[in-house]
Amino acid sequence: MPSLLSSNFFLTTHLHKHPHFSLNFSGFYPTSYHPPRTSISCSAHSSKCSLSFLAPLEAILFDIDGTICDSDPLHYYAFRDMLQEVGFNGGVPITEEFFIETISGKHNVNLATILFPDWEPQRSQKILEDKEAYFRRLASEQLQPMNGLHKLCKWVEEQGLRRAAVTSAPRSNVELLIPMLGLLDFFETIVIGSDCERVKPFPDPYLKALQALKVSHKHTFVFEDSVSGIKAGVAAGMPVVGLAKRNPEKLLAAAGASFVIDDFDDPKLWGVLEELQRKPEVTTAT
């Protein structure tokens, strides 16, 4: 089977139709990963959560890791084990706080210089490739969708909205995660960060998604879970809804999130979507 995300496919066509993959979770999903949490609230700049200024809403853009799937615990354990194995930090395992503040949401190109500034590029690249392979082994058995994901996807489809995934993840990870989540027929376009001139937190990946969908940033918003991703969406001129399932709300709000939700079941999100749906201007993009 040819790669679903091959270069001649990337951004130039819509996703081909494939049978949905059923979700089949096995093994023990880590429950000990509990980063610091704070209360969920709207942006400090607004007492009311609203995206009504986007009407007519045309599209929604989704990050992948930590946004449509609860993958951060798996990334944390993979990084923790691999970094300990190579003697990072004197062999002391990294903490969840270190993962959130230093690693989460960043592209491996940037992580190579952050984690291994004195290493030869080939050596650091190999370590990060090994880490991603380790993550895929964990994800193949333990990946879980973000709570409320399929309810949200159904709403998006019913509204006739355009949609794209925009990720810093390696292509091989995306080729595993999207089918596992049953979303091969959902996304029209998938933007891989490494195929852009600059990765998140620069706006390039999100700008490329807007271009591919032929929609305006004035009628589109973003779902993101990381500081770098939120900064990228804001830099592309769009409001960003932050997901604080694993990352502290204060970090996401400080990065520019319009408001922060726990997951896609959050009543706050559905209040905002219902307000958009009531707007007579909310039409569909075909």
Side-chain angles (χ1 to χ4, degrees):
M1 179 178 176
S3 169
L4 298 176
L5 302 171
S6 59
S7 58
N8 63 345
F9 167 86
F10 172 72
L11 283 179
T12 58
T13 65
H14 290 173
L15 287 171
H16 298 304
K17 298 295 183 181
H18 296 273
H20 283 288
F21 286 65
S22 61
L23 297 174
N24 181 17
F25 306 132
S26 61
F28 174 72
Y29 192 77
T31 58
S32 60
Y33 178 85
H34 298 294
R37 297 298 307 281
T38 58
S39 62
I40 303 301
S41 65
C42 291
S43 168
H45 304 292
S46 173
S47 60
K48 181 178 183 296
C49 300
S50 177
L51 296 175
S52 60
F53 58 90
L54 293 174
L57 185 64
E58 295 177 351
I60 302 178
L61 309 182
F62 296 77
D63 174 50
I64 294 180
D65 273 305
T67 298
I68 64 173
C69 56
D70 191 13
S71 56
D72 273 7
L74 305 180
H75 281 292
Y76 165 65
Y77 288 125
F79 267 112
R80 184 195 63 183
D81 292 353
M82 294 297 292
L83 290 175
Q84 186 177 15
E85 183 178 325
V86 300
F88 181 85
N89 193 33
V92 178
I94 63 170
T95 63
E96 295 164 359
E97 290 78 10
F98 178 87
F99 173 79
I100 291 170
E101 295 175 4
T102 307
I103 296 175
S104 179
K106 294 185 175 67
H107 194 278
N108 279 349
V109 170
N110 295 332
L111 286 175
T113 59
I114 293 171
L115 298 174
F116 313 111
D118 301 323
W119 285 26
E120 291 292 328
Q122 289 183 337
R123 184 185 178 198
S124 58
Q125 182 180 348
K126 178 63 166 60
I127 291 297
L128 292 171
E129 288 175 352
D130 289 345
K131 174 266 160 183
E132 297 299 348
Y134 184 15
F135 164 78
R136 289 192 293 274
R137 291 196 297 273
L138 294 173
S140 66
E141 296 182 345
Q142 301 174 24
L143 184 73
Q144 294 187 7
M146 189 60 67
N147 294 340
L149 172 66
H150 295 294
K151 175 184 176 182
L152 175 62
C153 290
K154 181 180 179 182
W155 183 88
V156 170
E157 291 177 328
E158 288 174 348
Q159 302 307 305
L161 300 176
R162 310 298 299 271
R163 54 267 190 186
V166 182
T167 181
S168 295
R171 189 179 302 276
S172 53
N173 289 14
V174 177
E175 290 175 338
L176 171 69
L177 301 184
I178 294 299
M180 283 193 68
L181 294 167
L183 298 179
L184 280 171
D185 291 335
F186 179 72
F187 289 117
E188 299 173 77
T189 294
I190 297 178
V191 177
I192 307 294
S194 58
D195 288 333
C196 300
E197 184 175 348
R198 300 179 300 178
V199 299
K200 301 174 187 178
F202 291 100
D204 303 37
Y206 280 113
L207 293 175
K208 187 163 272 192
L210 290 171
Q211 181 182 20
L213 294 177
K214 296 181 173 59
V215 295
S216 169
H217 70 278
K218 296 180 180 180
H219 302 288
T220 303
F221 74 91
V222 174
F223 283 113
E224 269 282 0
D225 76 303
S226 70
V227 168
S228 63
I230 290 171
K231 289 181 176 179
V234 171
M238 292 173 286
V240 180
V241 178
L243 278 88
K245 176 73 173 180
R246 300 293 179 179
N247 293 328
E249 180 197 359
K250 288 183 179 179
L251 287 179
L252 305 185
S258 297
F259 61 92
V260 179
I261 59 176
D262 189 28
D263 54 36
F264 296 130
D265 277 333
D266 196 315
K268 183 193 308 179
L269 171 64
W270 288 97
V272 169
L273 297 181
E274 287 168 8
E275 180 189 28
L276 269 171
Q277 190 173 6
R278 288 195 301 267
K279 296 284 266 186
E281 300 94 341
V282 175
T283 56
T284 63
T286 57

